[in-house]
Amino acid sequence: MTPGPSSRAPLFAGLALVATLCVGLAAGYALGARAHLRRPGPAGDTGMTMLGLTRSELRDSLRLTPGQTAVIDRVLDEARQQADSSVRQMVTDVRAATTRAKERVRAALDEPQRARLDTILARALPVLPRTPMLPGRP
């Protein structure tokens, strides 16, 4: 005698429960990981520093004095400004190199090839800077 549909119902219910738990765990983990990456700080906290920690994490975990906090804030602000300046210069240099490369490639082509290149480049995606620290981002 073969088992009927009603005898398989508990099996399917159990599988559905396990699947639901797995989806819930995966969703909870993903949401928790995203929240951990953002690590919002208290009011006045300017986000992640060059050290990979928020200013409040530094203050609280190191128990900084107000004087130390002021010195460290200045150091972190200067480091951020220097990094922003370096990134801006790098973006400018990459754009200039890209422009020079296009001009040199065009110079090596005959007129019909230049026209085809222009058509191809019109469809191409723009070359964007590849850095996680664009200037002006916290």
Side-chain angles (χ1 to χ4, degrees):
M1 179 175 204
T2 60
S6 62
S7 65
R8 291 189 215 146
L11 175 66
F12 289 129
L15 289 174
L17 178 62
V18 169
T20 302
L21 287 172
C22 289
V23 168
L25 285 171
Y29 178 78
L31 291 173
R34 281 196 194 120
H36 176 70
L37 289 175
R38 281 193 300 265
R39 285 194 262 188
D45 203 339
T46 59
M48 203 59 60
T49 67
M50 299 292 291
L51 302 178
L53 301 167
T54 63
R55 291 174 192 242
S56 62
E57 287 174 311
L58 283 170
R59 272 192 312 271
D60 297 344
S61 62
L62 298 176
R63 296 185 183 117
L64 299 176
T65 66
Q68 289 173 316
T69 299
V71 169
I72 290 171
D73 281 344
R74 279 193 302 274
V75 167
L76 294 173
D77 289 342
E78 288 171 10
R80 184 54 170 190
Q81 289 170 359
Q82 289 172 351
D84 286 350
S85 176
S86 295
V87 170
R88 273 192 297 276
Q89 186 60 51
M90 180 202 61
V91 169
T92 299
D93 292 347
V94 168
R95 287 187 177 141
T98 302
T99 299
R100 282 191 306 274
K102 285 179 187 177
E103 291 168 355
R104 292 177 66 194
V105 167
R106 285 179 57 75
L109 302 175
D110 62 27
E111 195 53 43
Q113 290 171 321
R114 279 190 215 115
R116 283 196 303 267
L117 177 66
D118 291 342
T119 301
I120 293 167
L121 290 177
R123 293 189 316 254
L125 296 173
V127 177
L128 299 174
R130 293 181 180 158
T131 176
M133 297 180 355
L134 290 177
R137 288 177 54 186

